[in-house]
Amino acid sequence: KVQTLRFSTLEWPPYTGARLTGQGETSLLLQRVFRQLGYQVQIDVMPWSDAMALVNQQQQGFRGFFPEYPLLDSRYIQTSAIGYSELGLVEPVQAPLLL
């Protein structure tokens, strides 16, 4: 069975958004990358404060939030940029994906 990874994001067209094709350009890229690694991705669009809080509190199976500018916060590990910007995926240090 293919494992599904759940991420949170905000409405930020054209990068992310519930009504955008594929939930936005960055969402499509993230889905493509994880599909190549053998994972399915579920992306939930919500207010930014909720997107961060659900990951921080490790609630409802959320594994990370995106997009994020360079973040200096010891609770998280941040990937390099996704696409052609400084935005990256952020995940908790206590529960990294370790892919």
Side-chain angles (χ1 to χ4, degrees):
K1 182 181 176 186
V2 176
Q3 182 180 356
T4 299
L5 302 175
R6 191 173 187 192
F7 299 108
S8 57
T9 193
L10 75 164
E11 289 285 347
W12 194 15
Y15 308 106
T16 58
R19 292 188 175 98
L20 300 173
T21 301
Q23 293 182 296
E25 296 172 8
T26 305
S27 298
L28 283 169
L29 179 58
L30 197 69
Q31 291 173 29
R32 190 175 319 125
V33 167
F34 280 107
R35 187 172 30 250
Q36 290 175 353
L37 295 170
Y39 295 90
Q40 290 183 352
V41 172
Q42 176 182 336
I43 298 170
D44 293 84
V45 180
M46 60 190 68
W48 188 238
S49 58
D50 294 343
M52 293 173 46
L54 287 169
V55 172
N56 186 42
Q57 297 164 8
Q58 299 179 17
Q59 292 183 0
Q60 301 175 30
F62 284 94
R63 300 300 305 268
F65 58 84
F66 74 98
E68 180 61 81
Y69 290 101
L71 180 69
L72 299 175
D73 188 323
S74 62
R75 296 175 297 171
Y76 304 109
I77 299 169
Q78 185 169 7
T79 68
S80 56
I82 299 171
Y84 300 104
S85 72
E86 293 184 2
L87 303 176
L89 171 72
V90 176
E91 57 186 310
V93 169
Q94 294 179 349
L97 291 170
L98 300 176
L99 304 176

